Amino acid sequence: MKRTAFFISDGTGITAEALGQSLLAQFEKIEFERITLPYTDSLEKARSVVERINRAAEVDGCKPIIFDTIVNSEIRVEIRKSTGYMIDIFGTFLEPLEQELGSKSTYTVGKSHSIASKASYDRRIEAINFALDNDDGARTRHYSDAEIILVGVSRSGKTPTCIYLALQYGIKAANFPITEDEILDQRLPEALRTHREKLFGLTIDPERLAVIRNERKPNSRYCSIQQCNYEVEEVQLMYKRERIPFLNSTDYSVEEISTRILMMTGIERKVR
Amino acid sequence: MKRTAFFISDGTGITAEALGQSLLAQFEKIEFERITLPYTDSLEKARSVVERINRAAEVDGCKPIIFDTIVNSEIRVEIRKSTGYMIDIFGTFLEPLEQELGSKSTYTVGKSHSIASKASYDRRIEAINFALDNDDGARTRHYSDAEIILVGVSRSGKTPTCIYLALQYGIKAANFPITEDEILDQRLPEALRTHREKLFGLTIDPERLAVIRNERKPNSRYCSIQQCNYEVEEVQLMYKRERIPFLNSTDYSVEEISTRILMMTGIERKVR
């Protein structure tokens, strides 16, 4: 049986989506059609959302599940007129929180993913530019500005992780690929030696690495399982020899790799 | 008065943070110290978290606020022994959802920001690589693979938006800068002409643009308000002349720009 799930917000809808997805993930047997309706910020839009929910209810023959993070209570009341089953985040938690905090809610829309301050916005953009400028060992002269330098063999997940750290947390992350030349040298690459305390290693299962590399350069030596085995083994020896903390990225999403790195290194997020 | 807020999860903590931040943003008068404790996935870790909460309660002289998205109910029960005030997301919504859906929760940890499937993981990584390879007009020969091509003057927010669209939604986004040469030509740049339906314009207030550019190249013609005025005015004329949909990015975060683009264009997210 298919059911429709709506993520509704007067802002981006990112929080409603994240929360709704976590909850729906607990019901693996049910197939959900997921619809995000951001910027539902007027009664008029709310009414058309209600129509859409009611239509889905008719088509599915059962109540759609609604996850909403609408701050404005008038709009929330309007949505509640639909035939959907509402998981009403603000409606549920705001009043008890007001009581506990002894303070009134300001009912401000869409705070969590808006520009909280120009300063933190600038910091994120600066960090993104830093990640792009210092990707893949392209430049090493800015490493003194880096908060972390990810190292690892080609295609072990360095670039997406750097970008996520920048975008989500405003952290300046560079990355440096460990190639066969570096491995043969049996020493830490020169550019990294003076930044030892900033290094963090990524590793990956050789089988998975071979699959990923094969998509990039099919049937090459580069993607052979022998080569992947060799590089991964050597790079892990390097991490141990040089006492570089490291993480196996194979089964982790970019979010998991990034949050685990923060936890392991204690690096503080620069923006919230 | 300072209060401590904890975001606690057995996964990344990203959902707990997002939800907690939206709720706390409603109480502007209170200063919160925010602490994220991800991967709280054992009773032992839960006990040390409880100690930490209790210490904060003593120091602050009031109950810390706890936002938790812990799936495992034993761990949740353990956390509840603390002196904190709990906003217990799963505890609040999971049981009513089970009733409504007529299905039992599988109590699976950390689903929302983990690798849901290798396919969607690969899709995100592919999209990120696409964004990097097709950034800033570097290459235009892959534009037939792009789902969207952002255009705009230098520093109007194209690159971070492309990266966010890739990372969050697996959308292949290229971007092409509109320079003075393109403007003087009074025609759509050649590389873009055959991809007209994929174009989306960004614009920005000239005053803000001048500030951003001044950080990049201080005291240059490039960052002068005259130049910024001229480029922005001309590029907006181009959008109108060529019927390119566009958005003013000045007051928006990367998340807001991205979600608004999805809404305006109807482009579907490739991953959830």
Side-chain angles (χ1 to χ4, degrees), chain B residues 174-185:
Chain B
N175 74 80
F176 189 96
I178 305 295
T179 65
E180 224 176 328
D181 289 346
E182 327 285 0
I183 289 171
L184 287 171
D185 204 29

Side-chain angles (χ1 to χ4, degrees), chain B residues 74-258:
Chain B
E74 276 180 68
I75 298 179
R76 244 189 291 133
V77 165
E78 194 62 36
I79 302 284
R80 201 172 289 139
K81 294 178 185 164
S82 79
T83 54
Y85 178 82
M86 258 177 110
I87 300 281
D88 180 353
I89 322 278
F90 280 79
T92 306
F93 294 126
L94 216 44
E95 207 183 294
L97 255 182
E98 284 182 336
Q99 294 250 322
E100 174 60 32
L101 294 170
S103 179
K104 272 288 183 192
S105 161
T106 51
Y107 294 100
T108 325
V109 171
K111 274 295 183 98
S112 61
H113 293 97
S114 63
I115 301 192
S117 74
K118 284 285 180 215
S120 71
Y121 181 78
D122 291 349
R123 173 71 209 208
R124 287 174 79 190
I125 301 295
E126 195 188 338
I128 292 168
N129 290 331
F130 187 89
L132 296 185
D133 289 344
N134 298 281
D135 185 39
D136 209 26
R139 279 178 210 82
T140 59
R141 65 175 183 278
H142 301 300
Y143 280 9
S144 45
D145 293 336
E147 281 158 275
I148 186 167
I149 302 166
L150 293 186
V151 295
V153 303
S154 167
R155 302 282 117 186
S156 54
K158 300 182 297 299
T159 297
T161 305
C162 283
I163 286 176
Y164 190 84
L165 287 170
L167 196 58
Q168 190 76 2
Y169 302 118
I171 290 168
K172 290 187 183 173
N175 74 80
F176 189 96
I178 305 295
T179 65
E180 224 176 328
D181 289 346
E182 327 285 0
I183 289 171
L184 287 171
D185 204 29
Q186 289 277 320
R187 294 176 64 200
L188 203 57
E190 186 159 4
L192 303 179
R193 278 178 220 155
T194 46
H195 305 285
R196 209 173 266 273
E197 74 294 349
K198 295 181 182 176
L199 303 182
F200 190 97
L202 290 182
T203 187
I204 181 170
D205 292 353
E207 294 72 25
R208 172 79 184 140
L209 183 62
V211 171
I212 297 172
R213 286 185 170 186
N214 192 52
E215 277 157 29
R216 196 80 168 180
K217 288 190 196 163
N219 306 314
S220 59
R221 173 164 168 278
Y222 168 78
C223 73
S224 71
I225 186 70
Q226 292 78 5
Q227 182 66 17
C228 292
N229 268 327
Y230 167 69
E231 288 185 27
V232 168
E233 197 172 313
E234 287 295 331
V235 88
Q236 289 183 184
L237 285 175
M238 180 193 275
Y239 297 156
K240 284 171 194 161
R241 195 177 61 229
E242 305 286 344
R243 295 166 198 254
I244 298 170
F246 70 98
L247 182 71
N248 185 325
S249 68
T250 310
D251 294 320
Y252 293 144
S253 68
V254 179
E255 286 86 347
E256 287 171 312
I257 300 169
S258 303

